[in-house]
Structures are given as structure tokens and as C-alpha cells.
Amino acid sequence: MERTTVLITGCSSGIGLGLAARLAADATGRFKGKGVTLCRGGRHRRGSPRQLVPGGGLWLVPAAQLGSTAAPRPCSLPPVYATMRDLAKGDRLLERLGGCCPDTLEVLQLDVTDPCSLAAAAQRVQEQQLDVLVCNAGVGLMGPLETCSDQAMKTVFDVNLFGAVRTIQAFLPAMKRRRAGRIIISSSIGGLQGLPFNSVYCASKFAVEGLCESLAIVLQPFNIHLTLVECGPVNTSFLANLQHPDPEGSELQGLDAETRDLYHRYLRHCQSLFHDAAQEVEDVLPAFLEAISTPCPPLRCVTTQLFAPLSRLRLASPDSTMYVRAMHDFVFGHGEAGGDQP
């Protein structure tokens, strides 16, 4: 069975963490390493499973240290590279793997907003053929548009759009030379249709969708498949970590009362939606696994049918007027914007 080498960004939590753990523990052996490479740094007991050791840890390799002149030593080629901006958060992945890191996995420091970090990670991976690139790093921004600062909006685009662009640019040339490869992008329902109080986030994901659709056309003769995995609500730390104004905080004080009321109602809607309809990480992983393994993966894969009626309405309504009204009713209920909701 051929070995498949995968690099995943954004593996400190959520989908990235779940996918890295699933691939590294793959029972079929498809992702099992073979041969010898040279790893630097860390401490490892000979003959024992690789473990995260305070002050060391073979499997945690900061990109800035990949060019170290320390004496190298042999270890198995890891076909799954799990990357994250902050290696201090690697403990979560280790816990998922039962406290020991298998020979099939190596964790690299990679910040998609830092070209030097990307270049160092790409240099590390170039020692072997990268078959699949999963661009999963992302951040959110929620709230009334009037409260979104320039810096917050730039950060969203720097990670979600330009981070994906930089990552693809770093690994695409080698795939083109081999005329083979797969690029999988963690997208969102918010890249297909506008969501209230997510204007900037949706704008970044709309841009990612356009980027990938355009790129897929060019990559077809190179036998490089590109797939957008469009998730709806998923129970991860993404919602808790995204930037958003405190509904009782000072940021909303300058807003009109009606917008503040709509925002409060939207937050209640989100809470209800995540409670009743959110998917678990394990529910969305099959879409990524299919994009990795199927002979001809699709350009788009939606992981939930929750928004399917709205999606169809958006396409069926030539001017999208019906969609806007339907989405408003779905989120805020029927009737006037400031009225009581059932």
C-alpha cells in the first residue's frame, strides 16, 4: 500500500487536531512512515514510544529551529505533519493520542501569516513527497460591522485568505513538478451565503471560494485536485475564540438600539443552533478523508444539509431578494425586526 504524506495547518484544536489524530492512527497503515530521515532537537528513549518531554520532544519541531546545526539522529519518516502557530498547544494533540506520539506524526511550528515560518516548514517537508495539503488554519470575527476595527478585519483576511494563499504558494510548485497532489481547504457555509453579523468573516470565505474555484481550473492539467470542505456549525473552540463584542460591553453603546437588539437576538439564535444542530468534529472528518482518498474528489463538499433550503433559494432567486428575507426570518423570526419572537 502506498504511503500518503499529508500536511495540515491549524492543528492545535478542532478539525485540524481531529484530522491529524485520525490520520496518524490510521489502522490501514496508509499513513505509516518508512525509511529514515534526520530529526533534530528533543529527547527520546530508545525503543520507547515518542513522548512530549518537558524541554524537548522529538515530535515538536519549531520551524525556526529546523536549520539548527545540532547533531542529527535517525527516526522514522512521519507522513502526517500537524502544524500549529503555538507549539505550547501541542499538548491537546498528544492527549488525543493517549500521551504518546506515533512514528506516523510530526508536529511543526507554522504560522500562516509569517512567510519565514512557512518557508522553514516547507524546507522540512521537502525531504519527502507531499501528497496532500490541508489548509485548515482560520479565525473568526463576529458582530455589527460598525464595531469591527481595521486591525481585526485585516487579521481575519491575513489568516483566512492570505494565509491560505501563502501556504498554497509554498507547496504548489513541488506538486506541479510531480504533476500530482491534493489541496483541501477548510471553508464554510459562510463562504457560500451571507450570514448576519459575520460580514467580514463571510467576505474572507467568499474570497477563499473564488480563489480556489479559479485555481482549480488552472490545476486540472497538472493532475492536482482542489477541494473546498464547507462546514456549518461544528462543536469546536472556534466560536469561543472568535473576536466579538460583549453584548453588554461598551463597544455597542454607540450603536442604535435596533441593531443592538438584533445582535442580542442573533447571539441567542447561535446558542440555540449550536445546541440543537451543530456537528461534532468526527461528523465532518469523513468529508476530508474522502477528499484525500477518492480518485476524483469534488471541488466542493458541504458537510451539513442544515442550510440546504436557503442555499437552493439563493440560487433560485435571480436577485437574491427572497434569500435575504428568508435568512432574516430564519435567524430573527417572522415579523418586524424589533418585535417579540415566538
Side-chain angles (χ1 to χ4, degrees):
M1 179 178 296
E2 288 190 13
R3 176 177 57 89
T4 300
T5 303
V6 184
L7 183 140
I8 312 164
T9 66
C11 290
S12 62
S13 64
I15 294 172
L17 185 155
L19 182 61
R22 173 73 71 86
L23 295 179
D26 181 66
T28 67
R30 183 176 181 186
F31 302 93
K32 183 171 180 56
K34 59 183 179 180
V36 173
T37 187
L38 297 177
C39 296
R40 299 179 173 88
R43 300 193 296 276
H44 177 236
R45 294 188 188 91
R46 182 172 298 176
S48 64
R50 291 188 291 174
Q51 297 178 322
L52 179 59
V53 182
L58 165 65
W59 66 290
L60 291 176
V61 183
Q65 298 177 8
L66 292 179
S68 169
T69 57
R73 58 188 177 75
C75 68
S76 298
L77 277 172
V80 180
Y81 291 96
T83 76
M84 57 189 70
R85 182 178 59 85
D86 183 4
L87 287 181
K89 296 180 179 179
D91 288 348
R92 301 173 186 172
L93 181 54
L94 184 64
E95 291 171 5
R96 179 70 65 86
L97 292 166
C100 296
C101 185
D103 291 338
T104 53
L105 180 71
E106 184 171 318
V107 179
L108 299 177
Q109 190 277 334
L110 195 161
D111 181 351
V112 298
T113 68
D114 181 357
C116 293
S117 174
L118 264 166
Q123 182 179 8
R124 167 66 176 159
V125 176
Q126 74 178 0
E127 296 177 11
Q128 58 181 309
Q129 171 181 303
L130 181 64
D131 301 295
V132 182
L133 172 64
V134 182
C135 296
N136 176 69
V139 295
L141 178 63
M142 186 173 72
L145 186 62
E146 300 95 313
T147 68
C148 298
S149 67
D150 282 357
Q151 185 56 52
M153 292 188 285
K154 288 176 181 177
T155 297
V156 169
F157 272 83
D158 199 25
V159 176
N160 294 357
L161 175 61
F162 296 113
V165 171
R166 294 185 194 100
T167 306
I168 293 171
Q169 287 175 329
F171 296 99
L172 183 59
M175 288 185 174
K176 280 186 170 181
R177 286 193 295 270
R178 294 197 321 272
R179 305 190 79 83
R182 303 203 175 191
I183 300 171
I184 303 170
I185 310 291
S186 286
S187 187
S188 168
I189 293 294
L192 299 175
Q193 53 198 60
L195 305 174
F197 295 114
N198 282 271
S199 304
V200 177
Y201 174 74
C202 287
S204 72
K205 289 299 186 179
F206 266 68
V208 168
E209 292 275 333
L211 165 78
C212 293
E213 185 171 309
S214 300
L215 185 59
I217 299 169
V218 177
L219 295 181
Q220 188 172 18
F222 291 92
N223 192 36
I224 299 173
H225 299 279
L226 195 153
T227 298
L228 290 147
V229 180
E230 293 142 345
C231 301
V234 181
N235 282 320
T236 68
S237 59
F238 181 83
L239 188 63
N241 292 337
L242 62 75
Q243 298 182 65
H244 66 281
D246 183 347
E248 306 301 331
S250 59
E251 293 175 276
L252 298 182
Q253 296 309 307
L255 282 176
D256 60 276
E258 190 170 358
T259 301
R260 288 201 305 272
D261 176 67
L262 285 169
Y263 182 55
H264 279 79
R265 287 159 56 191
Y266 175 71
L267 292 177
R268 293 196 297 270
H269 167 81
C270 281
Q271 185 176 18
S272 174
L273 191 67
F274 271 81
H275 181 270
D276 297 334
Q279 293 179 292
E280 299 298 330
V281 169
E282 293 300 316
D283 296 329
V284 304
L285 291 186
F288 289 87
L289 298 175
E290 181 179 358
I292 290 173
S293 60
T294 191
C296 295
L299 173 61
R300 289 185 170 89
C301 179
V302 179
T303 67
T304 177
Q305 295 302 307
L306 178 64
F307 296 93
L310 287 166
S311 299
R312 289 192 292 268
L313 184 60
R314 183 174 180 271
L315 295 174
S317 175
D319 62 1
S320 294
T321 299
M322 293 175 63
Y323 166 76
V324 170
R325 291 174 181 168
M327 177 60 83
H328 182 277
D329 291 344
F330 173 69
V331 174
F332 302 111
H334 297 277
E336 295 298 323
D340 293 333
Q341 299 305 307

